[in-house]
Amino acid sequence: MVCTANDLQGWKDFPKGLRVLLLQGDNNSASEIRAKLESMDYNVSTFYNENEALSAISSSSKDFHVAVVEVSISCPHGGFKFLENAKDLPTIMTSNSRCINTMMKCIALGAVEFLTKPLSEDKLKNIWQHVVHKAFNAESSAMSESLKPVKESVESMLQLETDNKLHESTILIDLENVSKSSDDEHEHSAASDKYPAPSTPQLKQGARLVDDGDCHEQTNCSIEKESGEHDGGECKFVETSCENVNAESSPQPTKPLIKEEDDFANGSKGESSVLTNPQSKKLLGDTGVNASPNETSGPKDSCEIKANRKKMKVDWTPELHKKFVKAVEQLGIDQAIPSRILELMKVEGLTRHNVASHLQKYRMHKRQIMHTDEDKKWPKQRDTMQRNYCMQRPIMAYPPYHSNHTYPPAPVYPMWGQPGSQTAGVPIWAPPGYPLWQQPTESWHWNLYPGVHVDAWGNPMLPLPQTPCLPYTPNIAGLHNAKAVDYRFGMPQNSFDHYPAEEVVDKVVKEAITKPWLPLPIGLKPPSMDSVLDELTKQGIPFSKSKASKH
DNA sequence: AGGTTAATAT
DNA sequence: AATATTAACC
């Protein structure tokens, strides 16, 4: 039986044809198991002698994908010898015994699972999962040759799914991710949490598991803990039925993740989450969607876990947020609309709505920050650092303008200006808000780097191609007729380091008009309603007072 | 069609 | 209470 990677390259009906090494003590048991396995299209090689089995794998270890080995108490070695010498082969230990010590020993020695006899079809049909698990969790260097094609096969399988089911492919991405960092124990356990490769019937699969349950749950749980301590690396334990609990000291999610929340009966929340790896160029690029770990082409009847993907909850992790911010900056304030942001972020699975929502929150935060302490703090900071960083605020702190109006400490953001209705004519009392965009925001808790806000918020150090970093200049073209902003001209010209180019000014104006929600710079205040209306009247622009005062 | 805002849900 | 989603509006 020669098995090369190429042979398995186009493994279409995985796990059909999976080669199983069956090591049993007695003929009856062996033939029974074999029959069952073969009925599932597994390719079974039976051994009754441990040494023979061992020599089989040593001579052509690549030929087997998984082993089912009996733990015989009577035997001197009892299968442990095989287990210990078949580290690269996912090995499932079986026994009539339910002795927990035996089970623990098996697991500790690297067994991927312990199955108590009799081996029901339910138990057997899922053994392929261990193969996949191994294929994805082993270091590629350490991965036995027979597993590589499995991995590839599964990969392509998942990719195909992508078309109709986005979420499916996320598994792949995650798995990729996991395999990369397989050294890390935490990562490992995390991966196991998310993608267990249990052979035993799962809770989710229904009541069936009850029948052969015995002390199943309990023992499995015990083993989980135990094995966690024992096996240091290679043969990770695969969690089984107990979908619980303490198994995870789950590490902090560092990758953006989107949770799928399915609606299992209350109590057992079948929730799985997938890490999105922004760097992953695989397939979708980066996906945030996730899936339930039901391998679609596994033995069919056993994998009928309904893929009830529902609402994908986007978790705006710092990474994801960073991407978001980056995109926003890249676009510039006036271009920062959900669809474009989405494009730039290149996070598949993320929807425009998600982005829009986030944008909403983002703006609100900005505004909020602006309203509170920032106003007071700012005048001090401004000299120290900001200038070079595309000053968020106008340079003029408190321009000596001669207005009767007082400066509201917390400027309001009237929405009455109808964007686009007129450009030059609109009184631009609302300054560009975009610089604020990058304002350090200690209150935004997503900021991972409290010390380096600027970077975290979008790298103000980098020149913004679309939004030149010029100090804000309130002296904006197009304001000339606006009484309300007359004071601008009271500002001494030399108080600005640079005079903005026309385009910049235009941009600024445009921003001010189109983004009225953005805060006014210090020293500026909105014009009174009257002055605005007055101005509009003068210019022959019709307006509705009721509408104007609506907001 | 898509953006923004408000309401609702978790 | 915070934050994500959905609905509604423009």
Side-chain angles (χ1 to χ4, degrees):
Chain A
M1 174 160 67
V2 182
C3 170
T4 66
N6 283 338
D7 291 337
L8 298 168
Q9 197 77 27
W11 195 330
K12 292 205 171 152
D13 299 320
F14 184 89
K16 287 184 181 176
L18 204 73
R19 279 183 278 277
V20 182
L21 185 153
L22 180 60
L23 174 58
Q24 294 290 312
D26 71 289
N27 213 318
N28 288 339
S29 174
S31 52
E32 181 187 340
I33 296 172
R34 176 174 194 145
K36 285 179 180 172
L37 286 172
E38 286 180 339
S39 74
M40 302 162 194
D41 292 316
Y42 286 122
N43 191 339
V44 184
S45 302
T46 311
F47 296 85
Y48 299 98
N49 178 292
E50 195 167 25
N51 290 326
E52 284 177 18
L54 276 172
S55 62
I57 63 167
S58 61
S59 62
S60 56
S61 64
K62 316 256 189 289
D63 284 346
F64 297 104
H65 300 107
V66 60
V68 177
V69 177
E70 179 180 29
V71 181
S72 171
I73 308 177
S74 50
C75 266
H77 298 302
F80 290 129
K81 183 179 172 188
F82 179 91
L83 179 58
E84 289 182 272
N85 287 283
K87 293 288 187 191
D88 288 336
L89 188 62
T91 302
I92 297 163
M93 302 303 279
T94 68
S95 177
N96 289 310
S97 164
R98 288 180 174 77
C99 168
I100 191 138
N101 285 334
T102 304
M103 296 169 115
M104 281 186 187
K105 186 175 179 184
C106 290
I107 299 300
L109 288 175
V112 294
E113 189 171 13
F114 186 98
L115 297 176
T116 52
K117 290 186 177 180
L119 301 184
S120 67
E121 295 198 358
D122 270 341
K123 290 175 180 175
L124 288 173
K125 75 176 58 157
N126 287 331
I127 62 174
W128 61 270
Q129 294 182 38
H130 292 294
V131 179
V132 176
H133 186 268
K134 181 97 177 180
F136 278 97
N137 286 282
E139 292 287 350
S140 54
S141 56
M143 192 188 302
S144 71
E145 284 303 314
S146 64
L147 290 178
K148 286 177 182 171
V150 172
K151 184 173 179 177
E152 288 165 14
S153 176
V154 173
E155 277 181 0
S156 62
M157 227 165 60
L158 292 172
Q159 186 171 14
L160 290 179
E161 297 288 339
T162 331
D163 295 332
N164 342 7
K165 308 177 180 182
L166 249 178
H167 71 289
E168 228 91 26
S169 49
T170 313
I171 293 180
L172 173 55
I173 289 170
D174 185 40
L175 292 175
E176 281 293 322
N177 202 20
V178 169
S179 60
K180 274 177 201 151
S181 52
S182 55
D183 296 315
D184 187 328
E185 201 177 63
H186 284 291
E187 291 269 310
H188 241 352
S189 60
S192 300
D193 288 345
K194 320 247 192 250
Y195 302 104
S199 295
T200 41
Q202 299 282 282
L203 283 179
K204 289 174 187 175
Q205 285 176 279
R208 228 183 318 174
L209 73 157
V210 179
D211 62 15
D212 54 9
D214 337 334
C215 55
H216 229 69
E217 301 85 342
Q218 196 183 353
T219 42
N220 275 336
C221 287
S222 312
I223 289 171
E224 274 184 36
K225 293 173 199 160
E226 197 60 29
S227 70
E229 296 167 8
H230 283 320
D231 65 342
E234 267 300 288
C235 298
K236 287 308 282 190
F237 176 73
V238 182
E239 290 148 30
T240 52
S241 26
C242 293
E243 70 142 356
N244 61 350
V245 256
N246 42 14
E248 55 230 13
S249 54
S250 196
Q252 71 300 335
T254 28
K255 304 286 162 54
L257 64 84
I258 297 180
K259 277 187 258 178
E260 173 194 18
E261 299 174 346
D262 33 18
D263 56 343
F264 287 112
N266 34 356
S268 76
K269 53 179 176 198
E271 180 189 74
S272 58
S273 48
V274 164
L275 308 176
T276 20
N277 183 354
Q279 274 75 25
S280 173
K281 307 139 193 113
K282 268 279 190 234
L283 307 174
L284 310 182
D286 353 77
T287 308
V289 224
N290 83 26
S292 41
N294 60 326
E295 282 63 9
T296 44
S297 44
K300 294 193 180 81
D301 32 328
S302 76
C303 287
E304 288 305 88
I305 308 173
K306 58 175 177 182
N308 42 5
R309 72 195 68 69
K310 288 239 152 140
K311 351 167 182 178
M312 305 302 214
K313 188 176 178 183
V314 177
D315 189 352
W316 285 92
T317 59
E319 277 80 9
L320 199 56
H321 176 63
K322 240 158 117 185
K323 270 190 149 183
F324 169 84
V325 173
K326 195 176 174 187
V328 168
E329 284 173 359
Q330 210 168 326
L331 287 167
I333 183 85
D334 56 337
Q335 308 267 30
I337 58 176
S339 54
R340 292 180 208 236
I341 297 172
L342 188 58
E343 273 178 44
L344 275 174
M345 286 180 71
K346 291 204 173 84
V347 174
E348 239 132 305
L350 202 62
T351 69
R352 193 167 52 79
H353 283 80
N354 296 137
V355 175
S357 170
H358 195 64
L359 188 60
Q360 179 181 21
K361 195 174 69 171
Y362 188 61
R363 286 168 174 162
M364 281 170 77
H365 270 273
K366 286 297 178 190
R367 189 163 25 176
Q368 191 178 323
I369 272 72
M370 172 69 171
H371 278 197
T372 53
D373 47 3
E374 288 296 329
D375 266 298
K376 294 138 201 168
K377 285 194 226 157
W378 179 66
K380 269 205 151 186
Q381 308 173 336
R382 117 189 111 92
D383 285 329
T384 60
M385 52 178 262
Q386 331 291 8
R387 271 299 174 64
N388 309 331
Y389 298 163
C390 307
M391 222 13 258
Q392 283 86 353
R393 320 238 170 175
I395 306 208
M396 54 197 284
Y398 293 102
Y401 68 85
H402 356 280
S403 168
N404 303 330
H405 303 106
T406 52
Y407 308 132
V412 286
Y413 311 100
M415 306 296 283
W416 44 264
Q418 283 304 318
S421 60
Q422 67 266 352
T423 18
V426 172
I428 314 297
W429 46 263
Y434 102 78
L436 237 189
W437 218 228
Q438 299 149 356
Q439 180 91 5
T441 331
E442 49 277 325
S443 63
W444 192 311
H445 73 281
W446 293 332
N447 190 349
L448 272 186
Y449 316 97
V452 282
H453 292 293
V454 187
D455 262 359
W457 283 101
N459 216 345
M461 330 277 270
L462 297 177
L464 302 177
Q466 308 192 5
T467 48
C469 297
L470 290 177
Y472 170 70
T473 309
N475 187 2
I476 296 169
L479 295 179
H480 316 81
N481 358 351
K483 271 189 187 171
V485 292
D486 277 352
Y487 60 83
R488 292 167 191 271
F489 299 99
M491 277 297 289
Q493 198 101 147
N494 57 10
S495 59
F496 309 114
D497 293 342
H498 309 287
Y499 215 97
E502 284 266 333
E503 317 85 67
V504 179
V505 171
D506 286 344
K507 186 158 219 104
V508 159
V509 172
K510 193 175 165 198
E511 285 170 1
I513 295 170
T514 56
K515 313 284 178 184
W517 58 81
L518 292 164
L520 287 168
I522 289 192
L524 296 185
K525 61 178 282 308
S528 69
M529 180 69 77
D530 284 344
S531 63
V532 173
L533 296 182
D534 187 41
E535 191 58 37
L536 289 173
T537 307
K538 275 187 189 172
Q539 299 182 28
I541 297 168
F543 62 89
S544 154
K545 183 135 191 176
S546 60
K547 183 167 187 177
S549 52
K550 201 165 151 190
H551 288 110

